[in-house]
Amino acid sequence: MTRRTWALATVVVMVLICASAAAAAPRTLRVGTLALHRCGPHRGGDHGPGWCTKVPRLLDPGLPDGPKIGIQTQWVPATDGHAVGTIVAVEGGPGYPSTGSYDEYTGIFKPLLRSHNLVLVDNRGTGGSGILICKRLQSDTGRSSGPAFAKLVAACGDSINHRFKLRDGRWLHASDLYGTAYAIADLAAILRELHTGPVTIYGDSYGSWFTQAFIARHPTMVRAVILDSTYYLRGLSPWYASSGIEGRRAMVRVCERSVACNAHDGADAVDRFTQLAKLVHAHPITGTAHLATGQRVDQTVAVRQLVDLEQDSGSDPVILRELDASVRAALAGDEVPLLRLVAQEQAYNHGTTSAVYFDDALYMAVSCTDYPELFSMNSPPAVRHRQLERALQAEPSAPFAPFSAGEWVTMSGYSQPYDVCLDWPSPTHTAPVEPTKPTVLPRSVPILVVGGDVDDLTPLSDVRKFARTLGRDVRVVDLHNTVHATSEGDTFLSAGTACARSIIDRFTATPSKLQTMNVACAAKIPPIQTAGEYPRTLASAPAATVVSGSVNLAARRAAWVAAQTAGDAVVTDEYSAAAHGPGLRGGTFAVTGSRFTLHADRFVSDAAASGTFTWNPANGQIAGTITVHAAGRSYRVGLSWTQRDTYAHATLQGVTLKLASPGP
């Protein structure tokens, strides 16, 4: 072979290789009638593996010549190339885009993605589907309820009504065109274009509410249904009174199930919370708190902040872990733990975020269009205000004790939209969430419902009342010791996440076995281990119990402090992505991967803890060595426990000790 023919042959081979690579990785994929492209960056970043497109949809279906928006659609094909079914996952909020939860959904359905396609569609107004942005509302850091906030929300609604011009020059009244019924029509149209056939549809939180409405309209489009942390679609009360009742029950359940908390009589947890509510009603607590990021903030704890704590505990297990101990400390005159808990909770659960992550405007558009209110949205704003006042005067406070109805509705409008829609534009379009004659699913379409028994946002007590009205084959699974949508894996409750996912996956694989499948893990999820207490000094700290050997009282207390400092650092880090944070009463910790390093971290004021330990989020295991320095002495403590352990184990000076597990 000559040099020239060798070169030509090389070129031919390279061309064939490139052609083969191009064939192996096509730029487009046709699914049904849709041409999709490889998913890439979209405002908030990469959507992850899969194929994406935007399906054009009329903003107002009643205007054939009106403006359109593209509905972001992500298709993740079964990895073995031979799908036996398709899963559709719908995110909650309302305001979270479904594609933004790609990691959570692939985590939930990971064992099934070899044999099932996955479809994620951003509801109109979220993510890549004509995202709604009201800059002032999205960036607001003030109180998210009350008259001033309602005006800010109304300004957002007015701006939506001045975004889309019709051909005759008029503005399209669009503030009520982002409701659930329109988003359902979008999803149904996209599934038809994808030629999916009947799907398994999963929805969490608002996504489960959306799913209930979807199956009522399109029963033939579903093969099986999973409702995760759901709530009433039909007969939803504008009071959401069950949340108050379940919030109190959750306090008692968590405290009674935790060895450390129950040592102070878990049944009295609500009484202690009531005492604190009375205290701050007369004299609000004020002070400085350190956020998990290290930032110092001035914090007030008044009735409104306690209302938020109770309501938000349904989705935030850190609150449940720390609440009773913080309450007891505050009643005893030590306000530091409570100030920190409230400050961190407010920043974490009610801080500002990117609209791509969570869209405030869309949340309001859906809430003010679809949810029942304590007033009539068809009335002028001035009349609505009077209607709300009359409702508050008539409603007994019992469901919300220790708060009055008027105090309860001061909670964040992002938890329950009690007063945020007072000035929102009156609707001009009518698109009910559910059809006039909703369909009850036949026995051939099973429905799995999962929920946590300490979730007061979507209480299981409500679910048990209405679940069987949705279909002929329904099963409700009580996930003990878990909060709202624990299956998504966004909290430290790893055992609850693993159990929930295993149940969801087994049902998805064989829906026909709904009533006989094993859900035993749901009753075996370990309790939320609480902080127990917050002593100010080493001398007032509890002492670890000696298992074998002998050691003095100060050393036993140092072992308890070492364990609590480690648990506190892990939980504090849950509120931050900064890879470092402050100790409760001073000092710091740093995080590198799974490794925590304590730098004179002070859980009590007169003892500094230093050292390293690891935390495995998959099972909550903590293991390491921490040295506690106090009163001129040093105590080197070896520690280990997992999330399933009732007791933590410690070694000190050759002595083995145990103490109630501090979690997480």
Side-chain angles (χ1 to χ4, degrees), residues 182-405:
Y182 297 107
I184 285 172
D186 295 338
L187 176 60
I190 289 167
L191 294 181
R192 291 189 188 102
E193 292 205 49
L194 289 170
H195 294 179
T196 60
V199 300
T200 295
I201 185 167
Y202 165 94
D204 60 272
S205 193
Y206 164 75
S208 73
W209 201 74
F210 174 104
T211 297
Q212 288 186 54
F214 183 91
I215 64 178
R217 276 185 166 80
H218 303 288
T220 61
M221 297 188 73
V222 291
R223 169 178 177 258
V225 180
I226 305 159
L227 304 176
D228 187 344
S229 305
T230 196
Y231 51 107
Y232 281 105
L233 177 68
R234 307 164 198 170
L236 180 64
S237 166
W239 284 107
Y240 308 99
S242 57
S243 287
I245 296 169
E246 291 302 320
R248 297 193 298 276
R249 289 176 179 170
M251 289 182 204
V252 173
R253 285 174 181 151
V254 169
C255 202
E256 286 185 330
R257 295 169 183 175
S258 164
V259 170
C261 190
N262 203 37
H264 300 274
D265 196 344
D268 289 342
V270 171
D271 290 339
R272 290 189 285 268
F273 187 72
T274 300
Q275 291 178 44
L276 180 65
K278 291 179 179 178
L279 173 67
V280 302
H281 187 277
H283 303 287
I285 295 171
T286 60
T288 302
H290 276 101
L291 297 179
T293 58
Q295 178 186 0
R296 292 172 63 92
V297 296
D298 294 327
Q299 183 62 54
T300 296
V301 181
V303 168
R304 183 167 59 82
Q305 284 75 28
L306 293 186
V307 169
D308 275 340
L309 270 186
E310 179 178 341
Q311 178 70 84
D312 293 341
S313 69
S315 59
D316 185 351
V318 175
I319 298 173
L320 293 170
R321 176 189 182 270
E322 301 189 354
L323 182 58
D324 189 70
S326 297
V327 167
R328 282 186 273 110
L331 291 174
D334 179 12
E335 300 163 347
V336 170
L338 182 65
L339 284 166
R340 182 186 69 165
L341 176 60
V342 171
Q344 292 189 156
E345 185 275 331
Q346 291 285 316
Y348 182 75
N349 292 303
H350 303 294
T352 60
T353 61
S354 162
V356 174
Y357 172 73
F358 175 80
D359 192 276
D360 293 44
L362 190 280
Y363 173 89
M364 298 303 171
V366 173
S367 298
C368 299
T369 299
D370 292 339
Y371 287 162
E373 305 286 353
L374 294 168
F375 42 84
S376 172
M377 288 300 296
N378 291 314
S379 299
V383 176
R384 295 180 202 168
H385 283 258
R386 293 195 294 271
Q387 291 170 337
L388 176 60
E389 286 302 316
R390 287 196 294 269
L392 292 174
Q393 292 169 7
E395 176 65 18
S397 61
F400 311 116
F403 310 108
S404 68

Side-chain angles (χ1 to χ4, degrees), residues 544-551 648-658:
T545 301
V546 173
V547 175
S548 64
S550 178
V551 70
H649 301 280
T651 56
L652 172 65
Q653 299 173 11
V655 176
T656 302
L657 307 102
K658 74 172 185 178

Side-chain angles (χ1 to χ4, degrees), residues 261-611:
C261 190
N262 203 37
H264 300 274
D265 196 344
D268 289 342
V270 171
D271 290 339
R272 290 189 285 268
F273 187 72
T274 300
Q275 291 178 44
L276 180 65
K278 291 179 179 178
L279 173 67
V280 302
H281 187 277
H283 303 287
I285 295 171
T286 60
T288 302
H290 276 101
L291 297 179
T293 58
Q295 178 186 0
R296 292 172 63 92
V297 296
D298 294 327
Q299 183 62 54
T300 296
V301 181
V303 168
R304 183 167 59 82
Q305 284 75 28
L306 293 186
V307 169
D308 275 340
L309 270 186
E310 179 178 341
Q311 178 70 84
D312 293 341
S313 69
S315 59
D316 185 351
V318 175
I319 298 173
L320 293 170
R321 176 189 182 270
E322 301 189 354
L323 182 58
D324 189 70
S326 297
V327 167
R328 282 186 273 110
L331 291 174
D334 179 12
E335 300 163 347
V336 170
L338 182 65
L339 284 166
R340 182 186 69 165
L341 176 60
V342 171
Q344 292 189 156
E345 185 275 331
Q346 291 285 316
Y348 182 75
N349 292 303
H350 303 294
T352 60
T353 61
S354 162
V356 174
Y357 172 73
F358 175 80
D359 192 276
D360 293 44
L362 190 280
Y363 173 89
M364 298 303 171
V366 173
S367 298
C368 299
T369 299
D370 292 339
Y371 287 162
E373 305 286 353
L374 294 168
F375 42 84
S376 172
M377 288 300 296
N378 291 314
S379 299
V383 176
R384 295 180 202 168
H385 283 258
R386 293 195 294 271
Q387 291 170 337
L388 176 60
E389 286 302 316
R390 287 196 294 269
L392 292 174
Q393 292 169 7
E395 176 65 18
S397 61
F400 311 116
F403 310 108
S404 68
E407 291 171 333
W408 184 255
V409 301
T410 64
M411 73 171 59
S412 167
Y414 293 102
S415 296
Q416 305 289 11
Y418 285 116
D419 62 3
V420 297
C421 301
L422 278 168
D423 301 303
W424 186 266
S426 295
T428 63
H429 301 86
T430 302
V433 177
E434 61 173 333
T436 305
K437 293 183 179 180
T439 303
V440 176
L441 291 187
R443 186 167 296 277
S444 58
V445 184
I447 304 174
L448 169 67
V449 186
V450 296
D453 76 344
V454 291
D455 173 7
D456 66 358
L457 291 177
T458 54
L460 274 173
S461 57
D462 288 346
V463 175
R464 294 189 187 97
K465 295 174 184 176
F466 71 81
R468 296 201 177 276
T469 67
L470 303 175
R472 304 298 183 193
D473 187 14
V474 182
R475 187 174 184 182
V476 178
V477 178
D478 181 337
L479 301 168
H480 286 206
N481 305 307
T482 65
V483 294
H484 191 69
T486 301
S487 59
E488 289 209 341
D490 294 330
T491 71
F492 61 77
L493 303 179
S494 56
T497 297
C499 174
R501 289 180 172 183
S502 70
I503 292 171
I504 290 169
D505 288 346
R506 276 181 278 120
F507 169 73
T508 303
T510 54
S512 61
K513 296 184 179 180
L514 172 63
Q515 299 299 337
T516 59
M517 71 178 189
N518 187 346
V519 298
C521 68
K524 299 176 182 178
I525 299 169
I528 297 172
Q529 303 296 356
T530 67
E533 50 197 288
Y534 289 105
R536 292 189 183 187
T537 63
L538 182 63
S540 60
T545 301
V546 173
V547 175
S548 64
S550 178
V551 70
N552 65 31
L553 182 60
R556 290 164 53 203
R557 286 174 170 156
W560 185 91
V561 167
Q564 290 291 341
T565 307
D568 190 73
V570 171
V571 171
T572 299
D573 187 58
E574 285 287 291
Y575 277 141
S576 171
H580 59 79
L584 175 64
R585 304 181 194 274
T588 61
F589 65 84
V591 187
T592 304
S594 62
R595 186 182 183 88
F596 282 69
T597 302
L598 306 180
H599 300 287
D601 191 323
R602 292 179 180 269
F603 187 77
V604 295
S605 60
D606 59 350
S610 298

Side-chain angles (χ1 to χ4, degrees), residues 138-211:
Q138 193 74 38
S139 62
D140 182 61
T141 58
R143 173 184 168 184
S144 53
S145 63
F149 187 69
K151 293 292 184 186
L152 183 60
V153 171
C156 175
D158 289 337
S159 73
I160 295 172
N161 290 333
H162 292 84
R163 293 190 186 188
F164 305 97
K165 269 196 174 180
L166 302 176
R167 292 187 176 184
D168 61 8
R170 292 182 298 115
W171 293 106
L172 175 62
H173 189 283
S175 59
D176 49 9
L177 291 174
Y178 290 86
T180 305
Y182 297 107
I184 285 172
D186 295 338
L187 176 60
I190 289 167
L191 294 181
R192 291 189 188 102
E193 292 205 49
L194 289 170
H195 294 179
T196 60
V199 300
T200 295
I201 185 167
Y202 165 94
D204 60 272
S205 193
Y206 164 75
S208 73
W209 201 74
F210 174 104
T211 297

